[in-house]
């Protein structure tokens, strides 16, 4: 209960978020972070300037701001409305990331409509398809529905780090150490057309899961 009270305290949450942002800056200053892009994704995001749905596992959220930095374009991020996530939100805002609050349990419909509107206005977004509480590395249907309704491609994002640790959280969050090497891999874009039944929807979710795992494997090979 005491821990929960501290996390809910606005000033402490801001301070913790500021520390997290400072640690992120330390990683960027001392580490070698490489972003590798599939040619079609690079053309879609760069030359054509098309909005996309970046998808990466919840355990890799520390590197989410790199998507904005590498593309040079604004990226909106879906952040859980849970109070604990506000610490991450403070750090994300300090790094110039636009946030949309919501999850499958809190504010989900409102967040979904906001994300859809952003995509239709030409803004790329980023989603952790296994968040906010798992199961880890299992795609939930929200991102699939969003891709279907928006017509935007999903770009799977994989990550590999040399010198880091995994936290004892449900998603095994990957936290890099200073002076590390990291590779962020953007896989081939994936278009998910509307389907009529639950079985076809599940197959699309499995397709995205496979694409995310392939992107992680590509990042590991490039490390």
């Amino acid at each position: 209960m005491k821990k929960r009270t501290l996390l809910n305290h606005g000033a402490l949450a801001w301070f913790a978020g500021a520390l997290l942002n400072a640690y992120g800056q330390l990683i960027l200053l001392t580490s070698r972070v490489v972003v590798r892009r599939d040619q079609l994704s690079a053309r879609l995001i760069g030359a054509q300037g098309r909005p996309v749905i970046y998808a990466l596992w919840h355990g890799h959220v520390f590197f989410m701001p790199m998507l904005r930095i590498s593309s040079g374009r604004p990226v909106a991020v879906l952040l859980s409305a849970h109070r604990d996530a506000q610490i991450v939100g403070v750090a994300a805002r300090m790094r110039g990331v636009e946030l949309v609050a919501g999850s499958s349990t809190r504010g989900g419909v409102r967040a979904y409509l906001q994300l859809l509107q952003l995509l239709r206005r030409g803004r790329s977004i980023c989603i952790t398809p296994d968040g906010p509480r798992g199961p880890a590395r299992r795609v939930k249907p929200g991102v699939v529905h969003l891709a279907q309704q928006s017509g935007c491609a999903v770009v799977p994002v994989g990550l590999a780090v040399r010198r880091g640790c995994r936290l004892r959280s449900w998603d095994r969050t990957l936290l890099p150490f200073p002076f590390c090497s990291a590779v962020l891999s953007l896989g081939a874009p994936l278009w998910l057309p509307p389907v009529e039944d639950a079985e076809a929807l599940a197959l699309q979710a499995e397709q995205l899961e496979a694409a995310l795992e392939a992107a992680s494997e590509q990042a590991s090979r490039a490390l």
Side-chain angles (χ1 to χ4, degrees):
M1 182 64 69
K2 183 178 180 181
K3 179 181 179 181
R4 177 69 59 187
T5 302
L6 290 175
L7 286 172
N8 290 346
H9 195 286
L12 290 177
W14 183 92
F15 182 69
L19 288 178
L20 183 61
N21 175 63
Y23 188 77
Q25 291 299 111
L26 176 64
I27 297 299
L28 289 176
L29 289 173
T30 62
S31 304
R32 178 177 177 269
V33 182
V34 177
V35 180
R36 293 185 173 271
R37 305 171 184 84
D38 171 84
Q39 290 185 355
L40 187 52
S41 285
R43 186 160 58 249
L44 191 69
I45 298 166
Q48 298 179 18
R50 300 280 296 278
V52 299
I53 303 170
Y54 294 105
L56 79 165
W57 295 131
H58 199 277
H60 296 162
V61 292
F62 185 87
F63 282 88
M64 194 177 284
M66 283 299 300
L67 298 172
R68 181 191 64 81
I69 296 172
S70 66
S71 67
R73 298 175 184 273
V75 177
V77 173
L78 177 63
L79 182 74
S80 169
H82 198 274
R83 289 186 178 91
D84 295 5
Q86 299 315 303
I87 294 174
V88 177
V90 170
R93 287 190 183 93
M94 288 181 173
R95 294 202 231 174
V97 174
E98 180 181 351
L99 300 179
V100 175
S103 68
S104 58
T105 55
R106 298 187 184 187
V109 174
R110 180 177 58 84
Y112 180 91
L113 293 175
Q114 281 185 266
L115 293 171
L116 187 59
Q117 187 177 49
L118 286 168
L119 288 168
R120 289 173 173 171
R121 289 179 177 176
R123 176 71 55 84
S124 291
I125 66 170
C126 182
I127 289 180
T128 54
D130 57 342
R133 296 184 181 180
R137 293 180 178 260
R138 295 297 303 272
V139 170
K140 295 180 179 179
V143 63
V144 178
H145 287 305
L146 199 57
Q148 291 173 345
Q149 282 200 276
S150 68
C152 295
V154 181
V155 175
V157 182
L159 177 69
V161 171
R162 183 176 291 128
R163 295 192 72 250
C165 68
R166 288 198 176 272
L167 305 182
R168 293 182 179 179
S169 53
W170 67 265
D171 61 351
R172 302 290 292 163
T173 296
L174 181 59
L175 189 67
F177 293 152
F179 304 98
C180 72
S181 295
V183 175
L184 206 65
S185 176
L186 275 59
L190 190 63
W191 280 271
L192 302 174
V195 293
E196 296 181 356
D197 57 76
E199 184 178 354
L201 182 68
L203 286 175
Q204 289 185 334
E206 291 176 6
Q207 187 180 5
L208 179 52
E209 285 178 13
L212 280 162
E213 293 303 328
S216 293
E217 290 175 7
Q218 291 170 0
S220 296
R221 288 196 297 269
L223 189 61

